[in-house]
C-alpha cells in the first residue's frame, strides 16, 4: 500500500466517522426530549400509584436529607392540601443497588411502598421484595417498622429494602409540615 493510498483511506474513514457522528447527534437531539418526557411520566405514574389521593406532586429539596434519598415530593390534592409525601431511596442490596419508593401520609404512616428496581438481585430471593406479599406488610406502619419480616434467604436485600424505608422516614421528619 502506497503512502498516498494510506492517507486517502484515513481521510475517507475520518469523513465517514464525522458524518455518522453528526447523524447520531441529530437523532439524539430529536429523541432526547421524548425520552426525558417518558421518564417524567413514568416517575409521576409511580408516585401516583403509591399516593393515589394526590393529584399533583411538588419537588422538595433539602440538603439535610439522607444521601440515599434521591427524590422527595409533597403530594397535594385538588384543593392544594398536602395529603402525604413520596420518597425514593436506594441502598446496597446483596448484588447491587435496590431502589424503593415510599409514600407516607400526614400522620407518619406508610400509605404504600413500591419496588422500583431490584434487577441486580437474584429473582428467586432478593427479587421477591418486589412482590406484593412482601411490600404490603409495610402498609400502615410507622417509622419503627415493627412487624416487618425479612424474606428467608434474602436477608441482605430485605434489610437494604427496610433501610430505604427508614431513610424515607428520616427525610419525612425533615420535610413534613407542622
Amino acid at each position: 500500500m502506497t503512502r498516498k493510498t494510506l492517507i486517502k483511506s484515513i481521510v475517507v474513514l475520518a469523513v465517514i466517522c464525522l458524518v455518522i457522528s453528526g447523524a447520531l447527534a441529530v437523532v439524539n437531539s430529536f429523541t432526547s426530549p421524548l425520552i426525558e418526557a417518558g421518564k417524567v411520566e413514568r416517575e409521576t405514574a409511580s408516585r401516583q400509584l403509591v399516593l393515589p389521593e394526590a393529584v399533583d406532586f411538588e419537588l422538595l429539596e433539602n440538603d439535610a436529607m439522607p444521601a440515599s434519598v434521591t427524590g422527595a415530593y409533597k403530594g397535594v390534592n385538588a384543593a392544594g392540601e398536602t395529603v402525604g409525601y413520596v420518597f425514593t431511596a436506594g441502598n446496597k442490596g446483596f448484588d447491587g443497588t435496590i431502589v424503593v419508593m415510599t409514600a407516607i401520609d400526614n400522620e407518619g404512616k406508610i400509605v404504600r411502598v413500591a419496588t422500583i428496581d431490584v434487577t441486580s438481585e437474584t429473582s428467586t430471593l432478593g427479587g421477591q421484595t418486589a412482590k406484593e406479599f412482601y411490600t404490603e406488610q409495610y402498609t400502615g406502619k410507622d417509622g419503627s417498622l415493627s412487624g416487618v419480616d425479612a424474606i428467608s434467604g434474602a436477608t441482605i436485600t430485605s434489610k437494604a429494602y427496610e433501610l430505604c424505608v427508614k431513610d424515607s422516614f428520616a427525610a419525612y421528619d425533615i420535610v413534613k409540615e407542622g
Side-chain angles (χ1 to χ4, degrees), residues 2 6 14 17 39 61 63 75 96 113 124 144 148 152 170-171 173 176:
T2 66
L6 181 64
C17 287
K39 178 183 174 190
E61 295 185 45
D63 293 334
V113 296
T124 56
S144 69
V148 172
S152 179
D173 288 337
K176 69 181 174 185

Side-chain angles (χ1 to χ4, degrees), residues 10 13 15-16 25 27 32 39 82 86-87 97-98 124 130 154 169 178:
I10 291 172
L13 284 174
V15 169
I16 290 171
V27 169
S32 178
K39 178 183 174 190
T82 301
V86 177
F87 303 95
T97 301
I98 65 167
T124 56
F169 270 105

Side-chain angles (χ1 to χ4, degrees), residues 48-123:
Q48 189 70 51
L49 179 70
V50 295
L51 191 62
E53 299 84 19
V55 295
D56 195 20
F57 297 92
E58 298 172 12
L59 178 65
L60 302 172
E61 295 185 45
N62 190 312
D63 293 334
M65 284 193 251
S68 66
V69 175
T70 57
Y73 292 84
K74 175 172 66 170
V76 295
N77 62 16
E81 301 164 329
T82 301
V83 294
Y85 300 85
V86 177
F87 303 95
T88 304
N91 278 299
K92 175 81 170 94
F94 179 73
D95 198 31
T97 301
I98 65 167
V99 181
V100 178
M101 186 175 283
T102 306
I104 303 171
D105 66 18
N106 293 328
E107 286 75 43
K109 304 278 187 192
I110 296 175
V111 176
R112 186 168 182 192
V113 296
T115 307
I116 303 301
D117 185 12
V118 288
T119 55
S120 63
E121 305 300 299
T122 308
S123 62

